[in-house]
Amino acid sequence: MRKPSDRERKFLQRAIELSRQGMKGGKGGPFGCVVVRGDEVIGEGCNMVTASNDPTAHAEVVAIRQACEKLGTYQLTDCEIYTSCEPCPMCLGAIYWARPQKVIYANTREEAAAIEFDDEFIYSEINTPMTGREIPFIHHPHPEARQVFKEWMDWKGKQQY
């Protein structure tokens, strides 16, 4: 593992500050995140799950949404993400969809599990066949749903992402 640069330490420190502020402010768990382009923070967030009654309001998702809104894009290809903890499966998905250059994190998922934020169940469910998952996923094929997909494939005005 390489030693972080002063710049990386600065932005990681901001993510950690946000995690503490959110926690002490009663917004949610102890997680914070910043999205950086060059030397500018363009999005930041703390976990807002309990404050907003939104299970998707994790620090990374909050920061990604803010950054995308500010930049007017759904891609963060020229950005970096700094987060106080290794991203959960949901945030990992959001990060890959946003396509940043890199992610730098402080605490590990094992450290998060030790304070009762354990995502191992979700990681294992991802690789479990649909018929064996804890929450039933029931497939009901529908011709109209397939038709919408066909229309998408044929639609000349679509924007690929």
Side-chain angles (χ1 to χ4, degrees), residues 125-150:
E125 283 286 282
I126 290 168
N127 293 317
T128 299
M130 293 287 190
T131 56
R133 290 186 176 169
E134 290 293 317
I135 297 174
F137 281 70
I138 302 161
H139 180 211
H140 285 299
H142 196 288
E144 287 182 54
R146 287 194 191 110
Q147 179 59 33
V148 173
F149 273 17
K150 182 183 179 321

Side-chain angles (χ1 to χ4, degrees), residues 93-108:
I95 287 166
Y96 270 91
W97 282 116
R99 295 177 175 88
Q101 293 176 345
K102 65 180 172 181
V103 176
I104 296 176
Y105 62 95
N107 294 323
T108 66

Side-chain angles (χ1 to χ4, degrees), residues 53-113:
N53 292 319
D54 180 354
T56 69
H58 289 199
E60 295 89 342
V61 172
V62 171
I64 288 169
R65 287 175 179 163
Q66 188 180 94
C68 288
E69 184 175 337
K70 181 174 183 174
L71 295 177
T73 184
Y74 51 86
Q75 301 279 278
L76 300 173
T77 54
D78 57 349
C79 297
E80 300 168 351
I81 294 177
Y82 294 82
T83 184
S84 65
C85 187
E86 182 177 351
C88 75
M90 177 185 68
C91 294
L92 184 63
I95 287 166
Y96 270 91
W97 282 116
R99 295 177 175 88
Q101 293 176 345
K102 65 180 172 181
V103 176
I104 296 176
Y105 62 95
N107 294 323
T108 66
R109 72 192 218 196
E110 292 80 14
E111 290 169 316

Side-chain angles (χ1 to χ4, degrees), residues 3-48:
K3 186 177 176 184
S5 69
D6 289 343
R7 179 180 171 281
E8 291 170 335
R9 274 194 295 280
K10 176 179 90 170
F11 292 124
L12 195 55
Q13 183 61 45
R14 178 63 184 151
I16 295 165
E17 288 169 11
L18 289 165
S19 73
R20 182 175 285 114
Q21 288 173 8
M23 175 188 71
K24 290 192 172 193
K27 294 179 180 178
F31 305 98
C33 180
V34 295
V35 178
V36 176
R37 183 170 70 174
D39 286 326
E40 179 187 2
V41 173
I42 57 164
E44 61 180 30
C46 63
N47 183 291
M48 300 283 294

